[in-house]
Amino acid sequence: MDAALRTRYGVEGEWALWQEHTIRWAECDIYAHVNHAAYLTLFEDMRIRWWLEAGGGFSASEPGPVVGSLEVKYLRPGHFRDRVLLTARTASFRRTSFVHEYGMWRDGLLCSARALCVVVDNATGAKAAIPEAMRRLMAERDGASAEG
């Protein structure tokens, strides 16, 4: 992320993945505020994009991430037609799970979230190991720490 983008949206910290987005009416409540569920859908889009760009896939024959828990902090409202920046990064990882952090920015942080994701074998539902190449990417690109 370059300095101009960081300044434009008031972004703090380092983020591995980012994407500009314009808030659509379908993402708002009757007061033209971003609906609480829309934040989660936008963060899910970032999680899916992160997984695919890291070399993962989504099919019955390969492992994929499942959200085990999610914590959201709604700090300030976003509004219809706001231009925002969505961010994602891996904070930490273990053998079969990782923690993602997300942010929505417009003149500073509007909303943040942390998701504990567990990698599962979609054919059996059993936990699956995070591939070594993906673990390296989490550490090197995202700055994530290995736990346990």
Side-chain angles (χ1 to χ4, degrees):
M1 176 181 314
D2 65 27
L5 195 62
R6 183 177 295 284
T7 299
R8 178 177 174 193
Y9 291 102
V11 176
E12 298 175 9
E14 297 300 320
W15 295 88
L17 188 65
W18 60 90
Q19 175 178 311
E20 290 183 287
H21 176 75
T22 301
I23 301 299
R24 301 173 310 134
W25 182 253
E27 296 164 337
C28 295
D29 61 21
I30 61 171
Y31 302 108
H33 299 137
V34 177
N35 180 284
H36 68 281
Y39 289 100
L40 302 181
T41 300
L42 292 167
F43 293 156
E44 178 182 49
D45 289 345
M46 295 298 286
R47 181 172 44 260
I48 300 305
R49 180 175 161 206
W50 189 99
W51 184 258
L52 291 171
E53 289 183 10
F58 290 95
S59 73
S61 63
E62 56 192 332
V66 175
V67 175
S69 66
L70 183 65
E71 176 186 4
V72 183
K73 294 182 181 177
Y74 302 100
L75 305 168
R76 298 183 296 130
H79 302 95
F80 175 56
R81 300 193 70 193
D82 277 353
R83 188 76 173 155
V84 298
L85 189 71
L86 304 169
T87 56
R89 63 183 171 202
T90 309
S92 62
F93 59 92
R94 293 183 169 205
R95 191 178 75 77
T96 62
S97 64
F98 58 93
V99 174
H100 261 184
E101 295 178 330
Y102 309 97
M104 180 186 284
W105 307 83
R106 184 212 69 222
D107 302 324
L109 189 60
L110 300 178
C111 182
S112 66
R114 284 178 65 92
L116 170 64
C117 299
V118 179
V119 180
V120 299
D121 178 325
N122 289 308
T124 66
K127 291 181 183 179
I130 299 170
E132 185 57 36
M134 195 175 285
R135 292 168 59 88
R136 277 195 308 275
L137 182 66
M138 290 173 173
E140 294 170 6
R141 185 190 70 181
D142 290 20
S145 58
E147 295 181 354

